[in-house]
Amino acid sequence: MNREFDDLLHELKQSLKIAENDYDLNNIRSQFLGKKSRISKMMKQIGSIEPAKRPLFGKKINEIKQQIDSLIVSRADEIEQHQYEETLAKEQVDLTMPGVQPPVGSLHPLTLMRRELEDIFISLGFDVVEGYDIEDEYHNFDALNTPENHPARNEMDTFYIKASNTRPKQSNNRLLLRSQTSTMQVRTMENNQPPIKMVSIGRCYRNDKPDKSHSPFFHQMEGLTVDEGINFLDLRDILIKFARLMFGESIQWRFRPHYFPFTEPSAEFDIRCFKCYGEGCSICKQSGWIEIGGAGMVDTNVFDIVGIDSEKYTGYAFGLGIDRITMLKYRIPDIRLLFENDLRFLEQFR
Ligand code: PHE
């Protein structure tokens, strides 16, 4: 009998030695203590044993069962401890290692430009005014002295908003995405009497096919000064001051006569091409010059529309292409780079 128990325990110890996990331990438990185990079979033989010896036999069986159980439990503890140590070793943290750097963003070149422009014009005595992307025909065209049949009003050029839910159907003052920041000239003069000296930077929209130098949305900065005795020389003076502060003292510039419905006389403002310095290249379309904006003296019709006394006051207005100026300043060859949000491009503006 004892021999048999010794063999059993020996066999159990061998099995436990190679057990690695709960699955192995469960198998061992059912092999040594389950219904089909040798112990269970021995228990069943109790009936064939002399009645006087039965209690002792039963006691012995129970002892051996407990021994088997405690051997299995202690092996389970051992395995658990071992697994825990393995996990600790695997997950060890080296507190002296440098941390992981979180990715750091940078300001968009147009944001840098906006801030620089605002700083320059604030230093020249201008107020900064916020505008709206969604405007109406009145502020984008009518009040800017733009006739009904002007080509810019065409739906091929300007994005109109289907406004059936927001405006009465009959309204002939349709909503649109503003095509120029000049809307802010009107709004400023509607709400303020001279002296006025303001700039307003924002996004504009035109139905242009995207290419190197065109995008269906772009940015402009409007400038407006209205006071007694303002003349074209003041306008020329402020734009040259701006060009020097932005591009350096040696920048070359020129004005070309032009036409805008809301300024008279009007001009376009060019600066020397940053790429070829006048030789002629693909960026300046061989002209040696790059146009950065339009300007002129506020038309008396506009003063009449907004209710400013055109006998007493004169004023100048200008509109600068911010994307162009950004491209010039940072030598960006394609306007689309400004809107594609490619990190390889943006990261260069740290
Ligand atoms: N709004 C004009 C344009 O988009 C530019 C401009 C602004 C011209 C102010 C004159 C005065 O082309």
Side-chain angles (χ1 to χ4, degrees):
M1 191 73 189
N2 282 340
R3 182 69 205 274
E4 205 175 343
F5 287 152
D6 285 348
D7 285 353
L8 193 63
L9 288 177
H10 180 72
E11 212 178 294
L12 172 68
K13 283 175 189 161
Q14 291 303 317
S15 299
L16 286 175
K17 234 187 246 170
I18 54 171
E20 282 177 352
N21 49 37
D22 285 352
Y23 177 79
D24 294 345
L25 290 176
N26 281 339
N27 282 342
I28 291 172
R29 181 174 286 282
S30 78
Q31 187 190 334
F32 287 87
L33 292 174
K35 276 187 198 144
K36 290 181 184 159
S37 62
R38 290 230 292 283
I39 286 287
S40 294
K41 279 180 196 145
M42 285 182 201
M43 274 297 272
K44 279 178 199 141
Q45 291 164 9
I46 203 162
S48 61
I49 284 177
E50 247 179 74
K53 289 189 177 160
R54 278 181 201 167
L56 199 66
F57 180 81
K59 199 176 157 219
K60 189 77 192 158
I61 295 265
N62 274 338
E63 270 172 25
I64 208 79
K65 267 173 135 178
Q66 268 165 23
Q67 218 173 331
I68 291 174
D69 183 68
S70 74
L71 281 169
I72 293 176
V73 168
S74 72
R75 178 62 184 150
D77 288 348
E78 238 174 72
I79 289 175
E80 195 183 332
Q81 179 65 21
H82 180 72
Q83 278 170 348
Y84 177 67
E85 276 161 15
E86 245 180 12
T87 312
L88 275 189
K90 240 192 274 162
E91 291 178 2
Q92 200 175 43
V93 176
D94 180 353
L95 293 175
T96 64
M97 260 170 64
V100 179
Q101 287 285 337
V104 178
S106 53
L107 289 177
H108 193 280
L110 284 170
T111 305
L112 295 172
M113 180 50 72
R114 179 187 192 121
R115 292 186 178 181
E116 192 172 348
L117 284 166
E118 286 176 353
D119 286 349
I120 288 177
F121 279 92
I122 287 170
S123 79
L124 296 172
F126 287 75
D127 294 328
V128 175
V129 173
E130 285 290 328
Y132 318 95
D133 287 24
I134 296 180
E135 269 289 2
D136 52 28
E137 265 185 303
Y138 178 76
H139 289 91
N140 200 83
F141 294 124
D142 297 315
L144 286 163
N145 199 35
T146 310
E148 278 291 329
N149 58 358
H150 192 281
R153 298 183 75 134
N154 200 305
E155 293 196 6
M156 297 284 281
D157 285 332
T158 296
F159 293 114
Y160 288 90
I161 293 172
K162 299 258 178 295
S164 51
N165 296 331
T166 50
R167 295 241 155 160
K169 280 227 169 67
Q170 282 79 16
S171 168
N172 48 15
N173 188 19
R174 288 178 292 171
L175 290 178
L176 46 76
L177 293 176
R178 70 171 168 192
S179 63
Q180 50 188 353
T181 45
S182 300
T183 52
M184 289 313 292
Q185 286 183 38
V186 180
R187 290 195 178 274
T188 305
M189 289 190 284
E190 275 174 349
N191 298 319
N192 301 278
Q193 280 296 312
I196 291 171
K197 213 173 172 192
M198 73 86 181
V199 290
S200 185
I201 299 181
R203 194 171 262 197
C204 304
Y205 306 81
R206 285 180 202 173
N207 197 357
D208 281 336
K209 204 165 155 246
D211 64 25
K212 262 191 190 175
S213 51
H214 293 89
S215 158
F217 53 85
F218 53 94
H219 300 79
Q220 282 191 340
M221 185 180 76
E222 198 73 12
L224 173 71
T225 297
V226 184
D227 206 345
E228 287 178 50
I230 299 287
N231 62 39
F232 201 91
L233 282 182
D234 297 315
L235 168 61
R236 182 179 168 280
D237 186 50
I238 210 80
L239 286 178
I240 294 168
K241 268 195 186 131
F242 152 72
R244 289 193 173 137
L245 287 167
M246 178 59 73
F247 296 107
E249 281 297 315
S250 60
I251 191 71
Q252 290 181 299
W253 48 267
R254 71 173 187 187
F255 285 94
R256 275 179 295 108
H258 199 74
Y259 170 77
F260 295 104
F262 40 93
T263 47
E264 181 59 31
S266 306
E268 281 190 323
F269 185 54
D270 297 345
I271 63 164
R272 263 290 180 228
C273 176
F274 66 89
K275 185 89 186 291
C276 65
Y277 301 102
E279 294 272 299
C281 69
S282 66
I283 294 211
C284 60
K285 302 206 179 79
Q286 308 306 327
S287 71
W289 295 95
I290 293 182
E291 178 215 320
I292 61 167
M297 300 305 293
V298 178
D299 196 296
T300 48
N301 283 344
V302 177
F303 280 146
D304 293 345
I305 291 169
V306 295
I308 285 182
D309 184 353
S310 59
E311 296 284 323
K312 189 170 176 200
Y313 297 110
T314 49
Y316 64 74
F318 56 85
L320 300 176
I322 305 308
D323 315 272
R324 283 273 175 88
I325 294 171
T326 310
M327 289 165 75
L328 284 169
K329 177 99 184 185
Y330 296 117
R331 306 190 172 217
I332 299 166
D334 191 322
I335 193 172
R336 289 169 293 196
L337 286 165
L338 292 173
F339 306 123
E340 282 167 350
N341 288 335
D342 185 330
L343 285 181
R344 290 168 301 179
F345 169 73
L346 296 175
E347 269 166 6
Q348 299 174 60
F349 297 90
R350 285 267 160 76

